[in-house]
Amino acid sequence: MRTSLAGEPLLELSGIAKRFAGVLALSGVDFTLRAGEVHGLVGENGAGKSTLMKIIAGVHAEYEGEMRLDGRPVRFRNARDARDAGIGMVHQELSTVPELSVAENVLLGAQPTRMGVVSWRRMRAQARRQLDAFGIDVDPRAPVGSLPLGLQQMVELARVLLSGARIIILDEPTSALSPPEVERLFALLARLRETGRSTVFISHFLDDVLRVSDEVTVFRNGRRVEGARADAVDKAWLIERMVGAGHERLGESHAGEMRLADRPTAPVVMAAERLSVPGLFEDVSLSVYAGEVLGIYGFMGSGQLELARALAGKLPLDGGAVRVDGQAARLRGGTPAAKRAGIAFVPESRRAMLFAQEPVYRNISIAILERIGRVLLRPRAERRIAEGHVQSLGIRPAGVDRPVGQLSGGNQQKVALARWLTHLPRVLLLSEPTRGMDVGAKDDVVRIVRGLRDAGIGVVVVSSEPETVLSLADRILVMRRGAIAREFVGEPVSKDRLLAAA
Amino acid sequence: MGKKELGLLVLVLVIGAITTALNPRFLSAVNLLNMANLIGLFGVFSIGQGLVIITGGIDLAVGSIFALLGVVFIDLLANHDVAWPLALLFVLVGGLLIGALHGLLVTRAKLQPFVVTLCGLLIYRGAARYYTGDATIGFGYAEGLESLTWLASGRSFGVPNPFLILVVVSAVMAVVLHRSVFGRYLFAVGRNEEAARYSGIRTGLVVAGAYIVSGGLAGLSTVLLVFYTNSVSPSAFGSFYELYAIAAAVLGGCSLRGGEGSILGIVLGTVLLQILQNLVNILGIPSSLNFAVMGGVILLGALADQELARRAKVGVVARA
Ligand SMILES: Nc1ncnc2c1ncn2[C@@H]1O[C@H](COP(=O)(O)OP(=O)(O)OP(=O)(O)O)[C@@H](O)[C@H]1O
Ligand SMILES: [Mg+2]
């Protein structure tokens, strides 16, 4: 894959600094992107990767330093300027418009018109072609918000990759994709590279980064640490530079086999019987024991995310019953009803879960306000509780008064988790809990989840990343096409076995 | 006090100063007391409107609620010899029930607030006109109303009672909105309804709560307004008042997208609107231009606000 030598510098940034309300997010960053290269960008949560890319894509117009495109200085005032200059970006948090149809999203800002009027027929046809080129099979008329996150991400990728942009920035594009989808993306990247386009690829999956990139650059604390040719370095090299000297934390490798715990003898906290939602999953029964972590693994679209949403009351069940501690849980009332029954849920999408403009402490306390003070608020207690969680989860920056929307992606995920740690639910459903997290943060999540398990609640981890399930679960269910295909309990398991069962 | 409220306060003072410079009568006791009275009358229901707007909704029906409850209230007192505490209770409960109905239609039937309350606007106005056969209705020879009249339109310590009532209502509502769990829920629902539901908040109850409060305050306002005019002509009574309320809330920093606003802001918005009205009267501007002046100032306010927001955009969450 790395045969063609990258060409001339296409985009050069020098001395870039960016402050948010006085706080440095980037300083003295130099960055060069060459024509026809795939450039991997890695760094811990909050290292400044997304911020730098948003500067390139015109989202952040205020910054210090210089940017040159084709050798000429440029300064984008907004995303449109950048797009007109041939720069397209897929954001970490999806920026599709949920209410608009797939076709509208794919062609956002480039709708075909006939005499000034949007031509819906041509728009659908063109969107269809772009989606087909990418192997996505969805109805162009469906509202994007109604699709599972993975498909939404594919739609967004289709929009940017096929927009004709010369420079394509992908900020964690694979976090919601299934392995086959990731393969398709990589194949497309290779094709784009052949045609001389340049890509920036940000990911916490270091193996992926090393595989697709020509060049890699490591960021730490808002600075560029080092860059190298991807074939000259390995994963350990990257991690060393990401976390800095002194505290090297290598994520556990799950390439080898590990042995799962035997079936617990503790009481069942949640029992689900014969659950069905037409078209998504059929006749699923499962039990969650007190003090265990149950992992549910499956490829994207196998129904495991939907199962979690149904258990959380988010998706109406067509049939079946759910019991918590032997009591029937009435899930008709939606997520609030599920919460009252003792089931708490952290969805895979942060945007759906957090109040971006509200400070961190309010995002944490919102679910327990009635416990802190029945009628009146007690802001000091709220803040104290939040500070405790921010400390113990290692949320950075450590203040609780910053709007949560200003935190980096991985830290937002921790805030979402912190919401349920004060008054423990009986069952905690985590959907893709480590999505977008760096190695260290993933370890933090493992630690938190083990702590919860030891506190005696039932934890369900639903994911389409084998590593996530393997690092967290005591017992694993594998779903395939809307049904439970296999249970792993008290036996050796490995990534290969999981993939084989899915 | 937030930046928005401070800006509004400055605006109020500046416009007040200019008006005084042009006509010193602006600061005369008579004029100030008259304004205080009107601020009280309009402030109470604007606060209810503000709450609804914070949830991302809108209440277009308040003006017509005044007409309907107003005719029934006077009819009870003047023609049915109902004791005033009972009539008062009837109107308050009536307001709450209408609010509850709107809340139900919005949260249960999932109709849009604009549609629900627009229908309310038409239905209640029509019902009020039908009730009296389109005739103006007054108190006639109704007796024993001295204490209620005093409560609703008298003065205490030289200050008009409606103004004092507004002070009490805003104090209570400020606690509800800014210091209570329910208030935090109102903002949460307005900011991100889905996230609110994920947090376990029963969003339907919260939204309905806002409409109920708005209805209740509309009931209270009905009584104050009836004693201000002393009679109700059902085709005109309270018409356009919902727009005053929306204007006051928006001037006061409520965003029609929901999730933003404060009680102080809404009250200051009401004050500003009344000063503008007063300015039109006292400067001899043709009163036909009344609405135009109001509209112009709101537009300017909205533009200034946009500009400020743009400049203060230190760390806006990129559409992400
Ligand atoms: N809009 C904003 N306002 C204020 N601070 C911000 C804003 N966006 C980012 N930051 C801060 O800038 C720093 C860098 O954030 P950035 O999102 O670039 O990290 P990242 O490397 O993309 O991390 P992740 O892997 O978690 O996505 C963080 O400390 C973050 O809190
Ligand atoms: Mg990022």
Side-chain angles (χ1 to χ4, degrees), chain A residues 46 49-51 92 171-172 202 204 408-409:
Chain A
K49 307 176 296 289
S50 300
T51 305
Q92 183 171 15
D171 195 349
E172 302 223 11
I202 300 180
H204 291 291
S408 78

Side-chain angles (χ1 to χ4, degrees), chain A residues 399-429:
Chain A
V400 296
D401 291 308
R402 201 181 259 257
V404 79
Q406 297 182 358
L407 266 53
S408 78
N411 284 301
Q412 291 187 15
Q413 182 78 359
K414 287 191 187 173
V415 172
L417 195 56
R419 191 176 280 173
W420 303 117
L421 301 184
T422 317
H423 296 283
L424 294 182
R426 292 301 295 145
V427 182
L428 181 59
L429 302 170

Side-chain angles (χ1 to χ4, degrees), chain A residues 331-370:
Chain A
L331 299 179
R332 289 233 165 262
T335 32
K339 185 194 167 198
R340 264 170 288 141
I343 304 174
F345 181 45
V346 180
E348 63 274 16
S349 158
R350 291 179 276 266
R351 186 157 55 144
M353 167 108 190
L354 295 174
F355 303 91
Q357 311 100 318
E358 298 270 7
V360 167
Y361 82 89
R362 290 194 182 178
N363 272 284
I364 293 178
S365 65
I366 186 78
I368 49 167
L369 286 176
E370 285 161 71

